[in-house]
Amino acid sequence: MRALLTELDTVSTGPSLTKGPSTYMTTDSTTANSTPSVLFVCVHNAGRSQMAAGFLTHLAGDRVEVRSAGSAPADQVNPAAVEAMSEVGIDISAQNPKILTVDAVQASDVVITMGCGDTCPVFPGKSYRDWVLDDPAGQGVETVRPIRDEIKAKVEALIAELATRPTAG
């Protein structure tokens, strides 16, 4: 499925798997909940996905339900990611890497992968995006800062997009 995922900036709709200019989305159902839910996925759920979840939680508050998971979770969140996020006032130190489950994907409206390959299950009605980001694993905080800043910009764009989506109900 990895070949079907690409960097996305918008969400398209249609009766089946569709490809817009930069979008892939399955569209067989709609969410009954007016609060959108986002799942961030990376291999270890220790760096990129944790920073993205931290930014989305901090910037969107209760306007978005936030989840993160990994296909092969690490034992702890990357200390350099924790430090980099702390520098911008966001504490992710209490987070723990979690295993990616089918239930987490099914419960999410938007699934954003960050290098997990084809381990993410695909379901109708979900918007799938792949954010191409450097992996902070094993890197110092100096290397993690630009990754953090790129994630923040992508999350801000995601929030703006979600705010313009029509709500169900």
Side-chain angles (χ1 to χ4, degrees):
M1 196 70 210
R2 175 81 169 151
L4 291 179
L5 298 174
T6 187
E7 182 72 20
L8 302 178
D9 297 317
T10 61
V11 176
S12 66
T13 59
S16 61
L17 186 63
T18 61
K19 179 183 184 284
S22 62
T23 303
Y24 290 91
M25 180 179 175
T26 58
T27 55
D28 291 340
S29 65
T30 59
T31 183
N33 186 350
S34 64
T35 302
S37 58
V38 176
L39 171 64
F40 294 104
V41 181
C42 68
V43 174
H44 301 296
N45 189 223
R48 296 165 289 191
S49 57
Q50 291 286 353
M51 289 190 286
F55 273 124
L56 187 56
T57 298
H58 179 77
L59 297 171
D62 62 359
R63 294 178 291 151
V64 179
E65 185 178 345
V66 182
R67 298 179 180 86
S68 71
S71 54
D75 293 330
Q76 65 179 10
V77 175
N78 180 336
V82 172
E83 183 178 345
M85 293 299 285
S86 177
E87 291 175 353
V88 295
I90 300 173
D91 183 5
I92 61 170
S93 64
Q95 298 303 312
N96 294 303
K98 296 166 281 307
I99 188 74
L100 176 63
T101 66
V102 169
D103 290 343
V105 176
Q106 284 182 312
S108 302
D109 298 310
V110 179
V111 179
I112 299 174
T113 59
M114 304 175 179
C116 72
D118 59 357
T119 61
C120 299
V122 176
F123 294 100
K126 309 301 173 189
S127 174
Y128 291 85
R129 300 137 190 254
D130 187 34
W131 288 356
V132 179
L133 297 161
D134 291 335
D135 188 351
Q139 304 297 320
V141 71
E142 303 80 23
T143 304
V144 174
R145 284 183 189 118
I147 300 167
R148 172 203 65 200
D149 296 343
E150 186 176 359
I151 290 169
K152 181 182 181 191
K154 289 179 177 292
V155 167
E156 288 171 335
L158 176 66
I159 292 168
E161 173 194 327
L162 293 174
T164 63
R165 277 179 36 162
T167 57

